[in-house]
Amino acid sequence: MSTLQLKALNKCFEQTEVIHAVDLDIKHGEFVVFVGPSGCGKSTLLRLIAGLEAATAGDIYIDEIKVNDVGAADRGCAMVFQSYALYPHMSVYENMAFALENIKAAKSDIDEKVQAAAKMLKLEQLLARKPTQLSGGQKQRVAIGRAIVRDPKIFLFDEPLSNLDAELRISMRAELRALHDKIGATMIYVTHDQVEAMTMADKIVVLRAGKIEQVGAPLTLYNQPANEFVAGFIGSPRMNFLPAAHCPRLWLSDRAAHKIGIRPEHLSLSPASDASLSIKITQIEQLGAQSLIRGQVTTSNDTLEVVLPGQSTCTAGELIHLTADAGKLHYFDQQGIRI
């Protein structure tokens, strides 16, 4: 079992508090993604778990054992960084074997583990190469293989795909998820990309300014965001937010709503007589399979985004009428809490 518990975890750098009393339980075998905007504390939280930073207050438990005073090398965590951090003078085999050689593991055990990890990551034909002879995706596989051979209790990934191009990031997301499903290890993954979070995670932890805003399965956060911040962060394109006072045909009078949230994909074209909203189009992005339309609400100065299926024939400057899926609207109070 490889479980993790954070209890009232706090971290200050001099007088600046960057992690605020974080409580979190991670079960054995979960793939958990920390997501949030730059500077929200997600990488600092990962470094606290790894033992690379000392907590100012609170406790960290791995497998129900308090590890606050346990060094990084002895916590049973293996970390994969954004930079591959490979030794350029060593071969792929030597890079993967290095940590095991440091702990004086038997040569037969080292070879067995390196060969097994190489097979799992499709690196068998590359073991003799140096890092300069590898592509970005291959380097990242080597970095992951270096973690696998240590047989850690918990894998920690700090934005490992950020240096890869868009197409390679998509394939590596699938490979990492498949790796998790194959070995069943507990994995914690940090990213600022909510698409990565949605496609990879069993459980997402949304962070803002060092605090947890919501924890849940990807579709739970998409369908039932706890507040306006989570609603706006999860989903691409982001949710539209309109003052309730500007949308009399959208909101129920018995709700004390301050704002209404509407996802762009939950709006559709309609006749003027049935419309919930009308907008004057300012911009159209043709994406092939769908069209992203931006426009100005005719009854206010609010900007609205709409995702329509297929290739729209609408044009900039055109007035279009929209209806919203009433069952998928979100209502928020003055504090931004979903009601």
Side-chain angles (χ1 to χ4, degrees):
M1 298 293 287
S2 302
T3 60
L4 175 72
Q5 287 181 302
L6 309 180
K7 296 185 177 181
L9 197 64
N10 180 283
K11 177 63 178 178
C12 297
F13 291 106
E14 297 181 352
Q15 303 302 312
T16 304
E17 188 175 8
V18 295
I19 300 294
H20 306 266
V22 165
D23 292 303
L24 181 65
D25 285 349
I26 295 176
K27 299 175 183 177
H28 171 71
E30 282 190 313
F31 195 123
V32 177
V33 175
F34 293 171
V35 69
S38 296
C40 70
K42 52 190 184 293
S43 290
T44 299
L45 195 57
L46 199 72
R47 291 174 63 83
L48 287 167
I49 294 166
L52 300 176
E53 299 283 354
T56 305
D59 298 312
I60 302 170
Y61 293 84
I62 296 176
D63 292 341
E64 300 182 357
I65 298 172
K66 185 176 174 180
V67 297
N68 290 44
D69 299 323
V70 176
D74 300 317
R75 288 194 181 187
C77 298
M79 198 158 182
V80 179
F81 297 93
Q82 179 177 346
S83 61
Y84 315 120
L86 302 179
Y87 296 105
H89 62 287
M90 293 183 180
S91 67
V92 168
Y93 184 101
E94 291 166 337
N95 266 282
M96 293 171 66
F98 185 69
L100 298 178
E101 291 172 348
N102 272 353
I103 61 173
K104 310 298 184 184
K107 287 188 177 181
S108 58
D109 289 342
I110 293 173
D111 188 64
E112 182 180 343
K113 289 183 176 181
V114 170
Q115 295 292 346
K119 183 177 181 181
M120 189 182 302
L121 296 167
K122 299 180 176 62
L123 293 171
E124 303 111 298
Q125 307 304 315
L126 305 177
L127 289 174
R129 292 191 186 181
K130 298 290 177 64
T132 54
Q133 299 171 295
L134 304 177
S135 68
Q138 290 167 341
K139 290 177 184 177
Q140 195 56 272
R141 286 194 189 93
V142 176
I144 293 167
R146 188 171 54 189
I148 289 174
V149 299
R150 294 177 55 192
D151 194 22
K153 295 178 181 178
I154 300 174
F155 287 84
L156 304 174
F157 296 92
D158 192 5
E159 303 201 48
L161 308 184
S162 295
N163 291 335
L164 306 181
D165 62 53
E167 185 177 350
L168 190 52
R169 281 202 305 271
I170 293 171
S171 63
M172 283 298 296
R173 286 204 308 253
E175 288 185 26
L176 275 175
R177 182 66 224 198
L179 175 65
H180 171 268
D181 294 342
K182 182 180 292 187
I183 65 180
T186 304
M187 294 184 176
I188 304 173
Y189 185 102
V190 162
T191 182
H192 64 275
D193 184 340
Q194 57 91 22
V195 175
E196 282 187 10
M198 290 290 290
T199 54
M200 297 175 71
D202 297 320
K203 184 163 70 180
I204 296 174
V205 179
V206 182
L207 291 154
R208 176 172 61 161
K211 297 179 181 179
I212 292 178
E213 292 289 330
Q214 189 173 0
V215 178
L219 289 181
T220 298
L221 270 60
Y222 178 85
N223 293 319
Q224 301 165 23
N227 54 45
E228 189 177 333
F229 175 80
V230 176
F233 196 84
I234 299 295
S236 181
R238 73 189 303 272
M239 184 182 288
N240 296 294
F241 297 101
L242 301 174
H246 294 177
C247 310
R249 301 191 66 178
L250 280 178
W251 68 296
L252 303 177
S253 58
D254 61 340
R255 289 178 181 264
H258 179 68
K259 282 187 181 179
I260 298 174
I262 317 167
R263 293 201 183 278
E265 57 270 33
H266 296 155
L267 290 160
S268 57
L269 295 174
S270 73
S273 58
D274 299 330
S276 307
L277 293 163
S278 298
I279 66 170
K280 185 175 183 180
I281 298 174
T282 57
Q283 185 181 11
I284 300 176
E285 293 182 9
Q286 297 284 6
L287 304 176
Q290 56 186 204
S291 303
L292 175 61
I293 296 175
R294 295 185 181 89
Q296 204 83 19
V297 179
T298 56
T299 56
S300 67
N301 292 320
D302 302 307
T303 298
L304 195 75
E305 291 190 335
V306 187
V307 172
L308 299 179
Q311 299 170 20
S312 175
T313 58
C314 296
T315 58
E318 183 179 349
L319 180 68
I320 60 172
H321 308 288
L322 303 164
T323 186
D325 186 335
K328 294 180 178 177
L329 297 178
H330 302 267
Y331 301 90
F332 302 92
D333 65 17
Q334 285 189 311
Q335 284 71 48
I337 306 301
R338 186 171 179 268
I339 55 177

